[in-house]
Amino acid sequence: MKKKTFLITMSLAVACSLVVCGCGKGKKSAESSSSGEKRTTTTSTLMPEASGEVTYGNDSISIDASHTDDGYIMVRYNGSADKIQVQIHNPGGGEPYQYPLPIGDYQTLPLTGGDGTYQVDVLEHVSQDLYSMGLSQPIDVKLSDEFRPYLFPNQYVDYTPDSAAVSLGIDLSDNSTDDLNFVTNVYEYVTENISYDNDKAADISVNYIPDVDATLESKTGICFDYASVMSAMLRSQSVPTKLEVGYSGTAYHAWISVYLAETGWVDDIIEFNGQNWSLMDPTLAANNDEDSVKEYVGDGSNYTTKYTY
């Protein structure tokens, strides 16, 4: 059987000094196996909800913590400030996760620090770079299992049952033999149908939030968009997927890790050649020969995860 190589890492080149990041063009459809085996396609998409069973807040701020066992909270702001930032401090400490909060709508924010007490701070913009504390709330979390935060949409992996990404995930799953084949098909579709947007990468905002359906419609994006689109399709098909942000050397990056029942968590910068897992970065691979890429990636020590969504 011929070996088939695929990569399941996405890279965000906001400040990529190593290469001009790019991805393959053209279209390629997923191919079904001649064995007749079929993956069981998920037809019911897990969606977050603000059910009101556990809430915190005041006249301007509402935190719905009804489903922390599923690895998320929902936050809404209806006050007079023009900008809002939410900071989530994980139980293990470290730098807080920061989320820009649109005014008026609930936003789903993930709880990816495991079990324990999270501190959620909602900051109201005052002037220039000054913010005041609108609400500070500790929230105790006990996950129903480790995978739940990586099976729901959130602010950075945002989709609904009506999203094009969900529909496409169903189509690709229907043409897959198992989870591994499905990940392959999702990767190939995204990298071969979406072109890298160098202009967008050069002028990306600090509070950039991917829009998966806009990316699929325009067929362009930065690698954060690639990672978000892949995460949406995989999560909507019940494949636990982490969207991770950090550094490759001094370049800011985003990539994904997936959970496969046969393998466990396939973390960080991964290539699968049909038999073995090894390190590789597709953003680099799109613009460099294989030996150069592997020399840079090495044992993965160039890569440092800062945030997991």
Side-chain angles (χ1 to χ4, degrees):
M1 178 179 177
K2 184 179 179 181
K3 294 182 180 179
K4 188 173 186 180
T5 298
F6 69 96
L7 312 177
I8 58 172
T9 295
M10 300 293 101
S11 298
L12 167 63
V14 174
C16 186
S17 60
L18 292 170
V19 295
V20 177
C21 300
C23 297
K25 299 181 181 180
K27 295 184 178 181
K28 182 175 181 179
S29 60
E31 297 179 357
S32 299
S33 169
S34 60
S35 67
E37 295 180 357
K38 286 282 191 177
R39 180 182 188 272
T40 301
T41 296
T42 299
T43 57
S44 180
T45 305
L46 290 175
M47 292 301 298
E49 59 177 329
S51 57
E53 296 159 7
V54 180
T55 61
Y56 308 97
N58 52 40
D59 291 342
S60 301
I61 301 165
S62 177
I63 299 174
D64 192 301
S66 304
H67 302 282
T68 57
D69 59 332
D70 284 326
Y72 68 86
I73 59 172
M74 301 188 74
V75 185
R76 180 175 63 186
Y77 181 81
N78 285 313
S80 58
D82 63 333
K83 290 188 293 186
I84 301 297
Q85 287 282 336
V86 178
Q87 293 185 344
I88 297 182
H89 302 259
N90 285 345
E95 188 172 337
Y97 283 51
Q98 308 217 28
Y99 300 92
L101 192 71
I103 294 172
D105 297 323
Y106 270 112
Q107 289 287 294
T108 305
L109 306 182
L111 304 171
T112 58
D115 297 341
T117 301
Y118 292 73
Q119 185 72 29
V120 180
D121 296 334
V122 182
L123 307 177
E124 298 175 289
H125 182 237
V126 177
S127 64
Q128 297 181 328
D129 294 332
L130 298 178
Y131 285 78
S132 64
M133 184 69 71
L135 178 68
S136 184
Q137 179 64 51
I139 298 177
D140 293 328
V141 173
K142 176 66 175 177
L143 297 174
S144 58
D145 67 54
E146 66 172 295
F147 307 114
R148 298 303 280 180
Y150 311 112
L151 288 170
F152 284 85
N154 62 46
Q155 189 179 71
Y156 289 117
V157 186
D158 193 13
Y159 56 91
T160 71
D162 297 326
S163 293
V166 173
S167 178
L168 182 55
I170 291 172
D171 291 343
L172 294 175
S173 176
D174 284 343
N175 286 284
S176 301
T177 57
D178 54 25
D179 283 354
L180 182 57
N181 184 228
F182 175 56
V183 173
T184 309
N185 290 336
V186 168
Y187 171 81
E188 289 180 345
Y189 182 92
V190 169
T191 58
E192 295 186 20
N193 287 276
I194 299 175
S195 299
Y196 195 82
D197 190 332
N198 290 291
D199 292 337
K200 184 177 181 179
D203 192 32
I204 199 72
S205 66
V206 173
N207 289 327
Y208 179 73
I209 298 175
D211 183 329
V212 296
D213 281 357
T215 299
L216 287 172
E217 182 177 0
S218 69
K219 297 189 182 300
T220 63
I222 60 173
C223 284
F224 200 6
D225 297 316
Y226 285 55
S228 184
V229 168
M230 275 196 71
S231 296
M233 284 194 278
L234 292 168
R235 288 186 187 187
S236 68
Q237 279 299 309
S238 302
V239 177
T241 306
K242 299 176 182 178
L243 193 162
E244 297 175 308
V245 175
Y247 290 92
S248 170
T250 59
Y252 207 45
H253 271 51
W255 57 89
I256 68 168
S257 298
V258 300
Y259 183 86
L260 300 171
E262 303 85 353
T263 309
W265 280 108
V266 181
D267 291 320
D268 304 328
I269 319 303
I270 302 295
E271 176 193 41
F272 182 65
N273 68 3
Q275 293 183 340
N276 302 301
W277 300 97
S278 60
L279 294 170
M280 174 91 49
D281 182 328
T283 302
L284 299 179
N287 296 277
N288 296 274
D289 63 73
E290 182 176 346
D291 290 340
S292 297
V293 171
K294 290 189 174 181
E295 182 179 357
Y296 173 74
V297 172
D299 61 1
S301 59
N302 284 326
Y303 291 83
T304 304
T305 302
K306 190 172 182 181
Y307 303 111
T308 301
Y309 301 106

